[in-house]
Amino acid sequence: MTPTDVLCLPLLLAPLVLLGMTGNWWGASPLKPVLPFLWAPLALAAAVQLGLGLPLYLRAIGKLVRLRIDTDTLLVVGASAALALAIWRFRHLAPGAGTQAMLAIWRDAAFGASIIAVALLGEIALRGARRSALLPLKPLPKGRIVVAPGAFIPCDGIVRDGASEVQDPVGADDVFPIVVKTGARVHAGARNGDGALTIEVIEGVAGQPEHRRHREIPDNLTRFVNWAARAMLLIALGSVLWQLWRDGIDRDVVARILHTVALATPLALGLVMAAPASEVLSAARRLGIEIRDLAILDRLRHVGAVVIGHRGVLVPDRLRVISAQCVDGVAGTDLIRRAATVAQAGHDPWGMAILDFAVGYRMRLKPATSYHGSLGQGCSAWVERQEILVGTRRFVEGRGADCAPLEQAANLATSQGRRLRWVAEMTPKPRVLGFISFGAPSVSGAVETVRNLNGLGFRTAWLARPEDAGHVALGKHFKIGNLVSERPEEVAKGLAELRRKHGPLLLVTADEIPAGLVDSDTILPFGRRIMEQVPTSALATTRHDPRIIVDLLQLAARHRQLVLMNLLIAFLAAAIFTFLPNYVGSRSDLGSYEVAVVLLLAFSSLGLRAMPTTANEVDEE
């Protein structure tokens, strides 16, 4: 909220306070002592409507010139009619007029100013919610940068000098490290290994195609609301013509016409509250979702299938130690401790995963010396006068250690989609101590997310490798509907088939965006890293919890329900308060402005506050 907004708040809240003080339900009003000063409400209404509300008036007039009628037009017309009605009654106020006549002038002026005030307060709240929801994005570096050993790569790029083993699984096998050399491509968020890399930043990866895709998002709900506003304006015009035909033209008819037009604005006032922009942004921010364009909610209501990226959403985007298999006479904790002792002297991703596991269990590690890494193979170091090796089977057997005693256990782990790192000691003679298996178990809430998506009627798909036994096993564990091949030559075909059967896609990815997407698809960058690569996307998340996908989809459905419910309430209120007094003859009560305002604000506020903080159950995995 800007300082200007803070200064405007008291002036905008004053008409709402005055409106609440003009009620005559109890036959009295706290405004009685100041009723003779009828110029005060007119001055306040003029200040709010023509001063603070000038941008709103200019916007509505500009749309009217282009023959566009929407809620802004209806709102401005109704507020102007209320102010004109107050001025009309003030000019024709008879000498010695009673309290009711003077109170009507206060009520008319306060109501006209309140309409503009509520609209401006909604815009202030929207600006504040957007400002607090937006997250600062780090600027992408340019040119060539040097990535130190063990550091994370800050952006997509091409290796121009150096070689290293990095955990950059985009396009590689599962989530495991690969060797990159000159000419290889690396991606933002990858962990560098033991070698320094000179990278040339790839410009234009900040999501320009995504920006074009979301510049003009069709919002059917907004179109429907605008048509409803036009219908209400036509109803008010019909009521005016009917009164002219029935009563002719006289002074009372002018007042009734202005009164009728002013009462048509509860629709616009209701829509200002019913289009819950500020509330939706606040609810999304509590969930960890950034919404940059509210029209994206309309797109989400047409999604038929949810496609989830291979890693970082349902599976971790880093290596995880799954188990340790030892030879007889060696304890698993001792195997992990020895491997972690060697790993602490280097920066290779395999070693970092072992070190994280050891630190998590508070293992005491001894110092390692004479560390040496073999690119893509393994590493070695001296620990307490013993040389310890950690690496691939070929690397260990090349130094004389025999892996045959654990061959059956190794084959079983490999068939389950695990990757292995062997540990051996070289003194007094080469001997294998065991192996450590790595994998990508599901993150907390992954199974629950897929179950909830399936229960809501969405088709779920996972970008993976159907020929990989580990991926198939995880897919069955998740109960995913489809495994879509992530290979570049096959992914577009798989996405097209999924779209043809189930409708537009929602792609949730923590990796780079695959090819094969069309304009009707929606991208949800998952996590801050991918969000920084696609800053122009209409959506992003910061909380690494896959259950947030379900929250987002249900938030979009809830938003539509609230808008339609409040639209119906506002439409009925406007129609009742426009026509019913003509037949009942009690314009003082049924046509009371404060009744319409209180009803709309109460129903809108209750409906908006009913928005759930989360739609998911507590994960019990």
Side-chain angles (χ1 to χ4, degrees):
M1 189 176 296
T2 64
T4 304
D5 293 338
V6 174
L7 294 176
C8 291
L9 284 178
L11 193 58
L12 293 175
L13 293 175
L16 294 172
V17 175
L18 290 176
L19 187 61
M21 298 172 66
T22 57
N24 56 359
W25 299 336
W26 299 277
S29 172
L31 290 177
K32 278 186 177 181
V34 294
L35 281 180
F37 302 98
L38 295 180
W39 56 268
L42 299 179
L44 176 62
V48 173
Q49 291 184 231
L50 304 180
L52 299 181
L54 183 60
L56 184 61
Y57 269 81
L58 294 177
R59 190 166 66 231
I61 293 173
K63 293 178 181 178
L64 193 59
V65 169
R66 297 193 299 271
L67 300 179
R68 291 180 56 189
I69 298 176
D70 57 8
T71 54
D72 286 342
T73 308
L74 189 61
L75 187 146
V76 166
V77 169
S80 303
L83 179 60
L85 179 60
I87 296 174
W88 178 271
R89 287 178 171 172
F90 179 73
R91 290 189 58 186
H92 295 86
L93 186 66
T99 301
Q100 293 298 328
M102 290 186 289
L103 192 63
I105 297 175
W106 276 84
R107 191 167 56 225
D108 295 335
F111 180 65
S114 296
I115 294 175
I116 301 298
V118 171
L120 296 179
L121 288 173
E123 292 184 359
I124 290 175
L126 178 59
R127 286 198 298 269
R130 277 183 173 159
R131 189 172 291 109
S132 60
L134 291 176
L135 298 168
L137 300 178
K138 298 178 182 178
L140 289 176
K142 297 182 179 180
R144 294 193 178 189
I145 59 174
V146 177
V147 181
F152 284 96
I153 299 173
C155 57
D156 289 11
I158 303 296
V159 178
R160 295 306 182 193
D161 187 26
S164 183
E165 187 177 45
V166 303
Q167 185 187 335
D168 190 0
V170 178
D173 187 13
D174 211 316
V175 295
F176 299 95
I178 58 174
V179 176
V180 295
K181 299 180 180 179
T182 302
R185 176 167 178 169
V186 291
H187 300 86
R191 183 196 287 272
N192 189 20
D194 292 323
L197 296 175
T198 300
I199 297 174
E200 183 173 347
V201 177
I202 300 177
E203 297 184 5
V205 297
Q208 294 302 322
E210 180 71 7
H211 178 62
R212 288 196 298 269
R213 180 177 294 115
H214 288 303
R215 281 181 62 185
E216 296 182 359
I217 300 176
D219 189 353
N220 296 327
L221 189 61
T222 300
R223 295 193 186 104
F224 177 74
V225 168
N226 289 338
W227 277 109
R230 296 166 192 170
M232 196 61 232
L233 197 59
L234 290 176
I235 291 175
L237 179 61
S239 176
V240 168
L241 295 177
W242 178 68
Q243 291 185 50
L244 288 176
W245 175 78
R246 188 187 65 175
D247 300 329
I249 300 178
D250 56 25
R251 191 173 65 183
D252 292 338
V253 169
V254 173
R256 286 201 299 271
I257 290 174
L258 293 175
H259 185 265
T260 299
V261 175
L263 284 176
T265 57
L267 175 64
L269 179 61
L271 290 175
V272 168
M273 299 301 296
S278 178
E279 292 292 339
V280 167
L281 289 172
S282 298
R285 188 174 65 255
R286 292 194 300 269
L287 293 171
I289 304 172
E290 178 185 343
I291 298 178
R292 298 187 177 110
D293 190 343
L294 282 170
I296 195 67
L297 296 175
D298 184 68
R299 179 189 290 263
L300 290 174
R301 288 189 292 270
H302 297 86
V303 166
V306 179
V307 182
I308 302 172
H310 172 55
R311 67 171 185 128
V313 181
L314 299 181
V315 297
D317 58 356
R318 291 186 57 188
L319 295 173
R320 295 292 186 273
V321 173
I322 303 300
S323 63
Q325 181 70 42
C326 310
V327 297
D328 294 339
V330 178
T333 53
D334 185 52
L335 182 71
I336 295 291
R337 185 182 295 109
R338 292 194 186 192
T341 300
V342 175
Q344 68 180 335
H347 301 96
D348 76 281
W350 302 92
M352 291 296 99
I354 299 173
L355 189 61
D356 290 343
F357 186 87
V359 170
Y361 281 90
R362 298 182 180 181
M363 295 182 179
R364 293 184 179 181
L365 306 181
K366 298 176 180 180
T369 59
S370 302
Y371 175 86
H372 175 74
S374 181
L375 187 62
Q377 296 296 317
C379 56
S380 63
W382 284 83
V383 181
E384 291 187 325
R385 301 179 182 180
Q386 276 192 334
E387 186 181 12
I388 304 298
L389 306 183
V390 180
T392 64
R393 180 170 181 172
R394 179 180 299 179
F395 177 73
V396 171
E397 290 183 335
R399 295 289 301 273
D402 185 12
C403 299
L406 297 177
E407 185 170 2
Q408 184 176 358
N411 291 337
L412 177 61
T414 304
S415 67
Q416 295 174 344
R418 310 302 182 199
R419 303 299 185 270
L420 311 181
R421 271 299 189 260
W422 296 79
V423 183
E425 62 180 11
M426 293 292 103
T427 54
K429 64 177 182 179
R431 180 172 75 105
V432 167
L433 302 177
F435 64 81
I436 301 172
S437 64
F438 300 81
S442 62
V443 300
S444 176
V447 175
E448 180 188 352
T449 296
V450 178
R451 183 181 69 242
N452 288 343
L453 289 173
N454 291 332
L456 291 172
F458 296 99
R459 184 67 174 181
T460 53
W462 190 36
L463 292 178
R465 292 190 176 181
E467 68 276 9
D468 190 298
H471 294 191
V472 174
L474 274 175
K476 292 180 179 179
H477 172 63
F478 295 138
K479 295 182 174 57
I480 288 280
N482 287 75
L483 289 182
V484 178
S485 176
E486 64 174 356
R487 296 184 182 277
E489 63 274 11
E490 299 178 10
V491 63
K493 181 180 179 181
L495 293 178
E497 181 67 16
L498 199 64
R499 189 184 303 109
R500 184 183 65 82
K501 291 182 177 179
H502 304 285
L505 309 178
L506 171 63
L507 173 67
V508 187
T509 179
D511 301 323
E512 67 177 7
I513 300 171
L517 298 178
V518 299
D519 290 347
S520 62
D521 298 332
T522 303
I523 299 174
L524 174 61
F526 193 83
R528 185 181 293 271
R529 178 180 65 83
I530 183 67
M531 183 185 72
E532 290 175 350
Q533 295 183 71
V534 194
T536 52
S537 175
L539 285 171
T541 69
T542 56
R543 196 182 74 191
H544 286 74
D545 187 343
R547 290 171 293 189
I548 209 170
I549 306 170
V550 183
D551 293 329
L552 175 63
L553 293 170
Q554 292 205 347
L555 184 65
R558 180 65 173 160
H559 172 256
R560 178 177 180 273
Q561 294 171 1
L562 290 175
V563 172
L564 292 179
M565 179 190 71
N566 291 339
L567 176 63
L568 177 61
I569 294 172
F571 194 93
L572 292 178
I576 291 173
F577 293 121
T578 300
F579 292 105
L580 195 58
N582 294 322
Y583 297 99
V584 179
S586 180
R587 194 178 291 273
S588 175
D589 294 325
L590 286 177
S592 174
Y593 298 136
E594 53 266 33
V595 173
V597 174
V598 168
L599 277 176
L600 289 172
L601 294 184
F603 277 108
S604 298
S605 179
L606 289 175
L608 296 177
R609 295 297 175 183
M611 228 180 281
T613 301
T614 177
N616 285 281
E617 304 168 1
V618 178
D619 183 41
E620 299 293 343
E621 285 189 274

